[in-house]
Amino acid sequence: MAGFNDAPLIQNLAVPAVCLLIAFLSYFSQYIFHHSTLEPGPPSKNESLIFNTLLLCLWYSYFKAVTVDPGRYDFTDRVIEADGNWCKKCNAPKPPRAHHCRHCGRCIPKMDHHCPWTRNCVSMTTFPHFLRFLVYANLSLWMLGSLLWQRFFALWEARHMPAYLGPTIEALIGLALTSLICFFTSLALAIMLISTLKSWIFNCTMIEGWELERHEAVLERGGRDWWDITGADGDTFRFERVEFPYDIGFFSNMAQAMGTPNALLWFYPLAGNPYVSKDSKGSGWNWEENGFNRVEGMWPPPDPEKLRRAARPWPAARRDYGAEMRDANLSSEERKRAFRERQEQDERRRKTLLAELEEVDGFDAIGDDADDLDDVYDQHSLDSAEWANSDGERLRDFGVDEDAENAADLGALSDDDVPLGELLRRRKVYHKGDDIL
């Protein structure tokens, strides 16, 4: 999947190409079966009925996977929560399990990945249709494979017969071409179906699987279950093993993903999908947790390297919220004086930064030991923007906008992207209740 979303040709031709592939395997194969001399002749009425019924389900589920909106958050109420992540691209709070899709241009509820073949996000609202599409696609391919196998077996049985008594060259070419395309398509879609079923049963999206793998890599490198890290404000954060909290039991996982506990509707093509709602858990705004962690809300795990970078005394490494709040109430002359003071401070910090960069370029801060140098590169490789999983995939390969991604932030650290106006408004809400200025 890596790289497909960034190819302009794939973006423009993916859906027409999929439709062309379905039409070719579905109807060209039936044309060969009915209008050629291939034994054992045309499929029976029952075989034709079952095959074409599967095709109808396939077409409809693919249509829904492409056209159903992946979900959006409407902030009609006043947001007064001071905790939680903030999406600087949407300029709005980002609920748990949501990610900003760089293709859809907004935060997607329970984003799994942006699929290039549907040109749509696989999310909380589209997952049921995407799963049904994969199920009916695989069932249709398996039945087509069975029909093709009958023709190949008949050819093998008649291998000692004179060639002129067998099928025509055109029929053999059509059979071979259809079989090759069917084989490779079945292999690709079977892999997609297995990975999607795994996500469905364990209630773990592809992005969360990436985060989980990265968390295991950090733990393995750390060598212990937890350790203390000093944050940007001098507070100590305890980095510890975080269990994946959204696996609440296989049946509950599947019912939550399909939007209903009625298993009979899970693979019904005309069934609906979940909708974003604040009324219940598992509806896009909040999610039920299994209680394996100390407290709720510990997912996603923190990024130790990001905490270390935030703690460095570099310019703009950490916002001074107190100063911003005070400056908001200053007079015009006082603001000018404060601005000149900040300019002088920035100049001093810039000189300090240049000195530190010169030391790093000369490896003075690293040391001569090769192991120390390897440790530096290992730490860099765990950066959320650079780290790749075992398949070589980064967050952007799932469609996530890494510039807007705050999934690795811890609590108050996520407020670094919250605009000052929003922080002021939240403070007014808390202090004045409903009387918002």
Side-chain angles (χ1 to χ4, degrees), residues 79-97:
V79 181
I80 62 173
E81 295 83 0
D83 297 328
N85 289 329
W86 180 271
C87 179
K88 60 184 179 182
K89 292 294 182 68
C90 295
N91 196 27
K94 184 171 66 175
R97 309 188 79 179

Side-chain angles (χ1 to χ4, degrees), residues 81 103 134 149 209 372 400:
E81 295 83 0
H103 302 285
L134 291 178
W149 169 253
D372 294 338
V400 177

